[in-house]
Amino acid sequence: MIEKIRIRMEEGNRIYRNESDPGRRLDTAANGQHPYAIVVCCSDSRVIPEQIFGAQLGDLFVIRVAGNVLDRHQLGSIEYAVGHLDCRQIIVLGHTGCGAVAAALSGGGDGFIRYITDEIHEAIGDERDPYRASCRNVQHAVLRLKKEFAEHPEVGNADICGAMYDMENGEVTWL
Ligand SMILES: [Zn+2]
């Protein structure tokens, strides 16, 4: 590990341990997690659901993947959170300035990135505007969740909605 990054991360962890509420950690560690929402969002380092929604440990079951796309791993995570954690609210959160959507709009990525941009291409169709394309990408994921879990009423009956996060003003808009 690069030494200066390791030092930075260890210092961050020390501050976290000293300044965060140990009661909450101990409580959730002992009694399990009961998140009130599942959030599927982009891996973008500027889009942090816990900060955006003022959430604490144990509040959000977060699935992060570039471009907030879905494949079987994400679907399995959602199925777990609904079925085993009794979480009934699913939010797919897109954001302004999404690099994955921009990559799809400019033709698609190389290597494994193409799996992501192919999924986004399917979602956005012929939309060329980055914001509207991001919205369509979110709506596509919402529809896909409803379709994939059509035979699975426990998940299919959960409340599934889309939202967009504005990176500049911090506002979340429900779609
Ligand atoms: Zn993004």
Side-chain angles (χ1 to χ4, degrees):
M1 190 171 187
I2 298 171
E3 189 61 17
K4 67 179 180 183
I5 294 177
R6 178 179 172 148
I7 291 167
R8 182 175 180 170
M9 294 183 91
E10 286 176 351
E11 173 64 6
N13 183 240
R14 188 189 63 73
I15 292 168
Y16 165 72
R17 282 182 286 134
N18 287 340
E19 297 185 0
S20 60
D21 175 11
R24 184 95 180 176
R25 276 205 305 272
L26 295 170
D27 178 48
T28 52
N31 299 312
Q33 56 171 327
H34 306 284
Y36 60 76
I38 299 163
V39 180
V40 180
C41 79
C42 188
S43 299
D44 194 303
S45 59
R46 299 163 293 182
V47 184
I48 303 173
E50 289 86 349
Q51 288 190 10
I52 291 169
F53 295 111
Q56 303 299 319
L57 287 180
D59 282 347
L60 299 177
F61 190 92
V62 176
I63 299 160
R64 293 182 71 173
V65 55
N68 42 271
V69 294
L70 297 170
D71 70 12
R72 290 173 183 168
H73 300 97
Q74 286 78 44
L75 295 172
S77 300
I78 291 166
E79 192 170 348
Y80 169 76
V82 174
H84 295 268
L85 305 178
D86 201 30
C87 190
R88 305 281 167 192
Q89 180 69 63
I90 305 171
I91 298 151
V92 180
L93 181 67
H95 67 101
T96 59
C98 183
V101 171
L105 285 171
S106 63
D110 298 321
F112 289 110
I113 297 171
R114 185 157 290 277
Y115 287 103
I116 295 168
T117 51
D118 281 354
E119 179 73 10
I120 296 174
H121 277 144
E122 192 182 321
I124 66 179
D126 57 3
E127 179 61 64
R128 305 304 300 165
D129 174 74
Y131 182 79
R132 286 197 299 271
S134 291
C135 291
R136 279 175 78 156
N137 188 42
V138 167
Q139 285 157 339
H140 175 80
V142 169
L143 288 175
R144 181 160 179 208
L145 279 174
K146 290 179 178 173
K147 191 173 145 204
E148 295 280 2
F149 290 111
E151 306 296 319
H152 190 311
E154 199 175 24
V155 184
N157 291 337
D159 190 315
I160 306 172
C161 67
M164 281 290 288
Y165 170 69
D166 186 312
M167 283 204 305
E168 290 183 2
N169 66 20
E171 186 175 7
V172 172
T173 306
W174 307 109
L175 297 179

